[in-house]
Amino acid sequence: MAAPVPTGPEDDASAVLDELSRNFTYWAPGPGNGSLSSAWYRRNQVHLFGVLLAILGNVVISISLNIQKYSHLHLAQKEHPKPYFRSVLWWSGVLLMAVGETGNFAAYGIAPITLIAPLGCVSVTGSAIISFVFLKENLRASDLLGMTLAFAGMYLLVNFAPNMTQAISARTVQYYFVGWQFLVYVILEILVFCILLYFHKRKGLKHLVILLTLVALLASLTVISVKAVSGMITLSVTGKMQLTYAIFYIMLVIMIASCVFQVKFLNQATKLYTTTTVVPVNHVFFTTSAIIAGIVFYKEFLGAAFLTVFIYLFGCFLSFLGVFLVTRNRENEHLQQSFIDLGNIPGKQMLDKIQPDSNGTSYGTLPDGSDPTQSQSGEKKEA
């Protein structure tokens, strides 16, 4: 006799719980749990594919950023530069960025958030390497140390991230969406967001921590919705249609809206502060927010041993420290000259420094040595 199909709300909830219990693999017996053994590889092939997608996506993003940077530098050297959005090179960078973000989007659908989110440090370290090779920028000792720490952190993250496989179906997302843990989390997040927004808008506080905390609070909703949308699309592609559920479109709206407002606050931060200050702080805030969101909404790290969690957090710390070392004082290297050197502009002949040393005797005089104040006073006397 066939088992009855669940029809009521309680039966639906129990069916979802049964589905979740089959998805989680923390309690799976066998050697190699939490280590890079052959058994670990067999259980985590899908996760490793997600890691590969995320790493390749972040590498492509770093390439796209350097292409756009080279496009701006190339246009700036022209005597009559055209707008950057008319440059084919700049648009190729935008296209590559879209490809990289698509890789990250797919990675969230097949691997835990706590595994994919910290891998954003690849784009920072990769950008430093590409800038050194192709743009001939300096590679400092702190860059090498930062890359080493970031790669060591990534090794620990991949090795000790949640050892779980979870099919993200519409029913699963619905169950999580109405769970008391997520509701409490969302209420607290909304309260904190409104308080910070009040101080930012009404009190005029534009501190970096306030702006990037607003970004991080939105980012937590972004990663939750991205994983839900990507997971449901992945299941639909495999033949289990999920796009007919309303929760798919709810998550799609949340994903788009949170991304738009993230970009708004992030742009405000980059206008007020240097990139070398914004990038490491934003990476730390975003990753921390994403990890908390994955733990609260998707129950990641459920059943994990204390040592596993500790080593994972230590890997996050190493990646944070690596990003900080790579970005530290990088922009200052390009600001050593306090004057414009006309010899670096094609078609121009360098005559003298536009802005001489303020401590020198020639400060405030013209290149021929005449004093503009004396000449003006002489003209007044003659008049």
Side-chain angles (χ1 to χ4, degrees), residues 305-365:
F306 173 78
L307 183 61
T308 300
V309 177
F310 176 79
I311 297 177
Y312 171 84
L313 295 177
F314 182 68
C316 290
F317 171 76
L318 290 181
S319 68
F320 293 162
L321 185 59
V323 169
F324 172 77
L325 290 175
V326 170
T327 57
R328 183 176 64 93
N329 296 331
R330 178 164 291 275
E331 284 188 350
N332 293 342
E333 295 183 352
H334 305 288
L335 300 175
Q336 297 300 321
Q337 286 183 314
S338 58
F339 56 89
I340 302 173
D341 188 354
L342 294 182
N344 292 330
I345 303 179
K348 301 290 184 180
Q349 181 181 2
M350 184 179 70
L351 297 176
D352 198 359
K353 298 177 180 179
I354 295 297
Q355 180 63 57
D357 185 8
S358 60
N359 296 324
T361 58
S362 62
Y363 183 76
T365 61

Side-chain angles (χ1 to χ4, degrees), residues 33-359:
N33 232 352
S35 64
L36 291 177
S37 60
S38 58
W40 187 93
Y41 279 115
R42 286 194 298 271
R43 287 198 308 273
N44 294 275
Q45 288 180 355
V46 176
H47 290 181
L48 292 177
F49 181 63
V51 169
L52 182 62
L53 279 177
I55 291 176
L56 290 177
N58 283 299
V59 169
V60 171
I61 289 173
S62 62
I63 293 173
S64 72
L65 291 174
N66 279 277
I67 289 177
Q68 290 177 333
K69 182 178 181 180
Y70 176 78
S71 173
H72 286 296
L73 293 175
H74 181 69
L75 291 174
Q77 291 177 354
K78 293 185 176 181
E79 189 172 359
H80 300 288
K82 59 183 179 181
Y84 66 89
F85 53 83
R86 293 185 180 179
S87 170
V88 176
L89 194 61
W90 185 83
W91 279 108
S92 63
V94 173
L95 180 61
L96 281 177
M97 179 171 287
V99 172
E101 293 295 353
T102 302
N104 279 330
F105 177 81
Y108 277 110
I110 59 179
I113 292 175
T114 48
L115 176 60
I116 300 302
L119 297 180
C121 63
V122 174
S123 63
V124 179
T125 56
S127 181
I129 296 174
I130 295 170
S131 298
F132 168 72
V133 174
F134 294 101
L135 299 182
K136 307 304 179 183
E137 294 186 0
N138 294 330
L139 189 66
R140 308 164 300 178
S142 61
D143 295 336
L144 296 175
L145 178 60
M147 293 174 192
T148 303
L149 292 176
F151 292 146
M154 282 190 292
Y155 174 83
L156 295 178
L157 290 170
V158 173
N159 197 10
F160 292 94
N163 184 16
M164 56 171 287
T165 302
Q166 187 178 14
I168 304 300
S169 64
R171 294 170 65 186
T172 303
V173 176
Q174 286 175 350
Y175 176 79
Y176 286 149
F177 195 76
V178 297
W180 69 267
Q181 298 94 334
F182 178 66
L183 293 179
V184 172
Y185 174 76
V186 168
I187 292 173
L188 291 176
E189 187 171 271
I190 291 174
L191 287 175
V192 175
F193 185 87
C194 292
I195 292 172
L196 293 177
L197 192 62
Y198 170 79
F199 282 105
H200 173 62
K201 293 291 187 180
R202 295 298 180 92
K203 301 297 183 179
L205 295 181
K206 301 183 183 298
H207 195 275
L208 179 66
V209 173
I210 292 179
L211 290 171
L212 294 187
T213 302
L214 291 171
V215 174
L217 292 174
L218 292 168
S220 65
L221 297 179
T222 301
V223 294
I224 288 172
S225 56
V226 163
K227 184 173 179 63
V229 171
S230 179
M232 285 187 275
I233 291 177
T234 302
L235 277 183
S236 299
V237 171
T238 58
K240 301 177 181 179
M241 179 55 64
Q242 306 291 315
L243 307 186
T244 57
Y245 291 86
I247 192 65
F248 172 80
Y249 299 97
I250 293 174
M251 286 297 183
L252 183 63
V253 170
I254 293 174
M255 181 184 71
I256 296 173
S258 59
C259 284
V260 169
F261 285 102
Q262 266 191 90
V263 172
K264 176 184 176 181
F265 290 117
L266 194 57
N267 283 338
Q268 291 183 20
T270 54
K271 288 179 181 178
L272 296 172
Y273 300 91
T274 62
T275 305
T276 55
T277 304
V278 173
V279 169
V281 177
N282 183 60
H283 175 68
V284 172
F285 281 23
F286 171 84
T287 305
T288 303
S289 176
I291 291 172
I292 295 174
I295 293 173
V296 172
F297 191 86
Y298 291 104
K299 308 296 187 296
E300 297 178 3
F301 277 115
L302 181 65
F306 173 78
L307 183 61
T308 300
V309 177
F310 176 79
I311 297 177
Y312 171 84
L313 295 177
F314 182 68
C316 290
F317 171 76
L318 290 181
S319 68
F320 293 162
L321 185 59
V323 169
F324 172 77
L325 290 175
V326 170
T327 57
R328 183 176 64 93
N329 296 331
R330 178 164 291 275
E331 284 188 350
N332 293 342
E333 295 183 352
H334 305 288
L335 300 175
Q336 297 300 321
Q337 286 183 314
S338 58
F339 56 89
I340 302 173
D341 188 354
L342 294 182
N344 292 330
I345 303 179
K348 301 290 184 180
Q349 181 181 2
M350 184 179 70
L351 297 176
D352 198 359
K353 298 177 180 179
I354 295 297
Q355 180 63 57
D357 185 8
S358 60
N359 296 324

